[in-house]
Amino acid sequence: MPIGVVDALGLISSMITITELIVRLAEAAQRNREKCTMLKNHVQMISLLLTELQSQWMPDPVTYSMLENLSVALNDGKALLESCQEKRTWSLVFKTQKKAKEIAAVDLRISKILEPFHIANMILIVSVNKERFFMNVLEKMLEDGACRRLPQKEKEDLKSSIKNLTNMDNMSSDAKRVMEWIVRDLTHGDYGASSPVRPEKPGAPSAGNVEVARLVLSVVQEAKALRHNTEEIQLLVQFVQQIADLMKQPQSSELLSRYPDTKPMVDSLKEHLQDAYKVVSHNVLHGKNKMVIAQVFLCGVDGGGYYWQQPDYILKVAYRIEYYVQVLPVITMRQMFA
């Protein structure tokens, strides 16, 4: 059964309401405050993504299923935070520790649910990029008069085949434009020699775009020097690598370069990538220099390095980057099909 826009928007709206409730519950938590804050930070990023989907997403079965699973996870998180409102007592010590593990598990589960959403959007972007390559080749052949030079019989055969095509309305804007070009050349011959106006080619990458690419590469390269990756570091580097993969796609790079509305987004992404680099580089440094760690625990001397090793802080940075991992493909798809 087709998914209705009203149903999809209703699901997103209800989830945004849940995220707002989770934030309030986390701020009022009496037990497991660190884990509650970690979940709150993650959920705030999810709320921003859902807000983007409200205005940019057209319902499809895969994404709708992901949102339903995400809704279940958010409700589970809400229930756990509700159980953390009671003040901690000796009788609740064991339960408190158990709840902390459950909250961390829900937190990780949310990222696992979102992962297929990112992969599906990336596959679609790559697919459209491949289509655009062949469209570019076909346009050059049309400019050279490939259809206009065909014998009349072959022109009629092609026109008949085009009439029998189905689902023409579901073609991309590039495919529709080239199809109109082919039909015009088959119908009017040399009278249709002037080529349609091509879409504007992207200009040179912006300074912000170049800086994002540089930071992404720095984080990934620095992470290779880590001897022992914690689960939090692995997640952070995974998200940064996904940004790197996204930047390799022409449409994503063009999005960050050409559209003024994305400048604040680029600036924020740069800040979070800078934090990611500091996290990774400090962990590399502390992994090499055990004396630094000894100073932290025995003398309380840190100089700011140990702060970047805290698992909850690393996850906070990771979840900020995860937002861009999810939202940039959504915005890219919107621009590609606009």
Side-chain angles (χ1 to χ4, degrees):
M1 179 181 293
I3 300 166
V5 175
V6 174
D7 292 337
L9 292 179
L11 176 59
I12 292 175
S13 295
S14 67
M15 291 170 68
I16 290 176
T17 300
I18 295 172
T19 62
E20 292 170 349
L21 183 55
I22 286 176
V23 169
R24 291 198 296 270
L25 287 169
E27 292 173 346
Q30 298 294 318
R31 293 182 285 131
N32 293 314
R33 289 184 179 177
E34 289 185 359
K35 295 299 181 185
C36 290
T37 299
M38 180 180 69
L39 182 59
K40 181 193 78 170
N41 293 334
H42 197 181
V43 165
Q44 285 177 322
M45 295 299 105
I46 301 299
S47 182
L48 291 174
L49 172 63
L50 292 171
T51 302
E52 290 288 348
L53 288 178
Q54 270 187 318
S55 59
Q56 300 183 40
W57 172 60
M58 290 302 293
D60 66 85
V62 173
T63 308
Y64 193 81
S65 176
M66 179 276 293
L67 289 175
E68 287 183 318
N69 292 334
L70 183 58
S71 178
V72 173
L74 289 174
N75 273 302
D76 289 347
K78 178 175 73 70
L80 286 170
L81 293 190
E82 286 173 340
S83 68
C84 291
Q85 300 306 299
E86 186 180 353
K87 287 187 177 181
R88 179 173 177 169
T89 62
W90 283 111
S91 62
L92 290 173
V93 169
F94 178 75
K95 289 184 178 180
T96 296
Q97 294 173 344
K98 182 180 177 182
K99 291 294 181 185
K101 293 179 180 179
E102 291 176 350
I103 293 171
V106 168
D107 199 43
L108 183 60
R109 182 171 139 211
I110 289 172
S111 289
K112 293 292 185 183
I113 290 170
L114 285 171
E115 184 64 21
F117 179 57
H118 169 76
I119 293 173
N121 279 325
M122 285 297 295
I123 290 172
L124 191 53
I125 290 172
V126 171
S127 175
V128 173
N129 282 336
K130 288 181 179 179
E131 178 189 307
R132 287 191 170 182
F133 168 78
F134 289 108
M135 289 295 109
N136 186 48
V137 173
L138 185 54
E139 284 178 349
K140 291 183 182 300
M141 294 174 66
L142 290 170
E143 285 177 347
D144 191 48
C147 282
R148 298 195 302 271
R149 291 196 301 267
L150 287 173
Q152 189 59 38
K153 182 179 184 306
E154 292 188 19
K155 287 184 178 180
E156 294 301 325
D157 288 343
L158 271 178
K159 285 195 286 186
S160 177
S161 297
I162 290 171
K163 287 180 180 178
N164 292 328
L165 287 176
T166 58
N167 294 325
M168 294 276 284
D169 292 338
N170 294 328
M171 283 185 173
S172 68
S173 57
D174 283 344
K176 287 180 181 178
R177 178 170 49 81
V178 171
M179 182 62 73
E180 290 171 359
W181 190 345
I182 292 172
V183 171
R184 190 195 62 178
D185 280 5
L186 291 174
T187 304
H188 301 293
D190 289 335
Y191 294 102
S194 60
S195 61
V197 177
R198 290 188 179 211
E200 181 184 352
K201 295 289 184 181
S206 67
N209 206 16
V210 172
E211 179 67 7
V212 167
R214 186 192 68 78
L215 284 167
V216 164
L217 182 62
S218 297
V219 174
V220 174
Q221 289 181 336
E222 190 75 7
K224 293 178 181 178
L226 280 171
R227 295 178 183 177
H228 303 288
N229 280 341
T230 64
E231 187 175 2
E232 295 81 16
I233 291 286
Q234 289 176 357
L235 191 63
L236 172 62
V237 175
Q238 173 190 319
F239 291 146
V240 173
Q241 182 61 60
Q242 287 173 333
I243 293 289
D245 295 339
L246 185 63
M247 294 292 292
K248 293 176 184 177
Q249 303 304 317
Q251 273 68 38
S252 301
S253 180
E254 177 184 347
L255 167 72
L256 295 178
S257 298
R258 291 182 57 193
Y259 296 97
D261 293 346
T262 61
K263 186 180 183 305
M265 181 175 290
V266 174
D267 292 340
S268 296
L269 177 56
K270 284 193 297 183
E271 291 179 6
H272 301 323
L273 288 171
Q274 287 166 353
D275 287 343
Y277 179 77
K278 292 175 183 176
V279 165
V280 175
S281 60
H282 275 292
N283 277 270
V284 170
L285 176 64
H286 280 242
K288 293 178 179 178
N289 190 353
K290 301 299 182 183
M291 290 298 295
V292 175
I293 299 176
Q295 286 180 332
V296 171
F297 287 102
L298 298 178
C299 308
V301 178
D302 181 17
Y306 184 65
Y307 175 72
W308 300 95
Q309 287 186 288
Q310 295 297 315
D312 289 350
Y313 181 77
I314 295 171
L315 285 176
K316 183 177 182 179
V317 175
Y319 293 148
R320 285 174 175 172
I321 295 175
E322 182 187 28
Y323 165 70
Y324 296 94
V325 167
Q326 301 297 341
V327 79
L328 285 177
V330 173
I331 299 176
T332 299
M333 295 306 303
R334 180 193 66 181
Q335 297 295 347
M336 290 172 73
F337 290 106

